Amino acid sequence: AKAEGKSRYRLFQPRLSELLISRLTRQAELRLAIDTGQLELHYQPRVLGDSGEMSSMEALVRWRHPSRGLIAPDDFIPLAEENGLIVPLGEQVIAAACAQLAQWKAEGLPVVPLSINVSARQIDDASVSGFLAGCMARHGLDAALIEVEITESATMAAEGAGCGELAAIRALGVKLYVDDFGTGYSSLSQLRRLDMDGLKVDQSFTAQLAGGPEDLAFFTAIVSMAHAIGMRVVAEGVETVEQLRILQALRCDEVQGYYVSPPVPPATAALLLRKRFLF
Ligand code: C2E
Ligand code: CA
Ligand code: CA
Ligand code: CA
């Protein structure tokens, strides 16, 4: 048994260094991607629950890799968060979103606010509010045209210095949304203290909506407590008309998901802006 264990260990050795090398390669590749403009933004509309009128668009980053094609954020954002590249990456996302919005405005399109995802690490870095302010000023964008989404866990982590950074973003007039709500452990009082404008309920709760009355109970409770303290509720991951009808009946303020539109490249997003009503 001992010999077996030893040989297994020897077999495992090269795998470990391979993993390390592939990790370092990926890190270097991501650095290069940031420096050479391989990142691009796609946009997913969010609409009012009652009318289907577009209320904002979420900017979602993609990596156009020279040989591997379009890479989804789940395949590189976690790495960027670990090694700190999320800070320059995040700045590029903010700059690109502001530039896109300014371009659409200049083209005379009826723009809606753009919603930008910001990681905990960016909040800790405490330069994101200043960077955002600079971009908005450079492009002459009103604060009402920018929103920021922070995951529920990042929101809760933002107690010390991060809390000041959240307040600084809010002081610009930018609206703050709690992303993936329901997957963390935030309390009402925390959300209230942080002065969040709304909740984006995680798509796992939307997916359960077609079930029985207990499935409705969670959403019903969220909507009533959020409205009681003046927060809006957005349902993520709405894929079917049945889910939409239920959310409308529950007075969910806004919906987002494949039923309305998947994330689309900028040219398609511009067409959706012209259309404006998406139901
Ligand atoms: P998220 O912020 O929760 O974004 C929603 C994700 O769900 C997006 O995946 C979107 O394409 C997908 N989605 C939208 N509607 C539906 C639906 O109806 N059904 C299903 N099954 N999925 C739907 P995506 O674009 O792959 O982004 C994944 C995550 O990567 C995002 O989750 C966000 O946490 C992160 N991310 C994306 N862009 C950025 C960024 O610029 N900065 C940071 N820090 N994170 C980002
Ligand atoms: Ca988001
Ligand atoms: Ca989310
Ligand atoms: Ca998510």
Side-chain angles (χ1 to χ4, degrees), residues 58 117 149 179 200 236:
E58 179 174 3
N117 291 286
E149 302 184 10
D179 206 351
K200 295 190 76 178
E236 297 189 298

Side-chain angles (χ1 to χ4, degrees), residues 79 94 113 150 210 243:
L79 176 71
I94 291 169
I150 304 147
Q243 290 165 347

